[in-house]
Amino acid sequence: MKEKVFIYILVAIMVFSIFSIGIFAFGGSSEKTCITQTIVGLPVQKVPKVETIKKVEELKIEDIEVGIGKEAIEGDCVVAQYHGVFASDGEELDSTFEAGTGLQVALDEVIEGWSQGVPGMKVGGYRKLTIPANLGYGQDDLIFYIRLVDIVDL
């Protein structure tokens, strides 16, 4: 009886070892990814007064406040609060400012205006992105005010 238990334990250890080596060798579940999610409990931000723009020709990046934390790079997983409007009339597109929430997202999974406009920001920074339609959702020019809250280590 003791021999059978020993053999079962030995087989279980071997199966676990082979499975673990497979995960390590092929990436498996050890691969870390940025999970897009809403982050709650952040400070409420004042909604900025927006000046409308009739036509946006190219991406314009304006730092309103320069942060003092870690600097975002292309593809980072970031937590940001934002206020987005249509450039032509200032109508709100989406905002997390007044809700005290933010968005955790990878910079390679957002509109191109964010992918190009957020890298270089430092945590704590506040930036205005004026985005032409071709770097946004395709139909309208956009303006986003972004506060970089954090850069997530994966």
Side-chain angles (χ1 to χ4, degrees):
M1 183 68 174
K2 288 183 182 182
E3 286 182 26
K4 283 187 178 181
V5 171
F6 177 74
I7 290 173
Y8 288 132
I9 291 172
L10 186 59
V11 169
I13 291 171
M14 289 173 47
V15 168
F16 177 75
S17 297
I18 291 169
F19 180 72
S20 297
I21 290 169
I23 287 174
F24 179 73
F26 300 107
S29 63
S30 64
E31 196 172 302
K32 297 178 181 179
T33 58
C34 182
I35 298 170
T36 300
Q37 60 184 330
T38 299
I39 306 297
V40 298
L42 299 176
V44 172
Q45 300 292 324
K46 181 180 176 185
V47 174
K49 182 177 182 189
V50 178
E51 294 182 23
T52 60
I53 302 169
K54 292 300 173 204
K55 181 66 181 151
V56 178
E57 299 296 329
E58 61 184 22
L59 177 65
K60 184 176 180 184
I61 300 169
E62 300 172 68
D63 283 317
I64 298 166
E65 292 175 28
V66 176
I68 58 171
K70 184 177 174 185
E71 185 173 311
I73 60 172
E74 186 177 313
D76 266 349
C77 181
V78 300
V79 175
Q81 288 182 283
Y82 61 89
H83 180 73
V85 300
F86 294 101
S88 62
D89 62 9
E91 182 181 334
E92 185 176 300
L93 170 68
D94 192 18
S95 183
T96 65
F97 276 16
E98 293 181 305
T101 61
L103 178 67
Q104 175 178 297
V105 67
L107 290 177
D108 55 4
E109 296 178 1
V110 291
I111 60 173
E112 193 62 28
W114 274 52
S115 293
Q116 293 178 23
V118 174
M121 279 187 85
K122 293 183 179 180
V123 171
Y126 185 48
R127 182 174 278 185
K128 177 183 176 183
L129 300 179
T130 306
I131 303 171
N134 67 315
L135 298 180
Y137 298 109
Q139 293 100 12
D140 298 296
D141 298 330
L142 306 169
I143 299 172
F144 274 94
Y145 292 85
I146 300 169
R147 179 159 310 274
L148 186 59
V149 177
D150 197 10
I151 298 171
V152 180
D153 292 325
L154 298 177

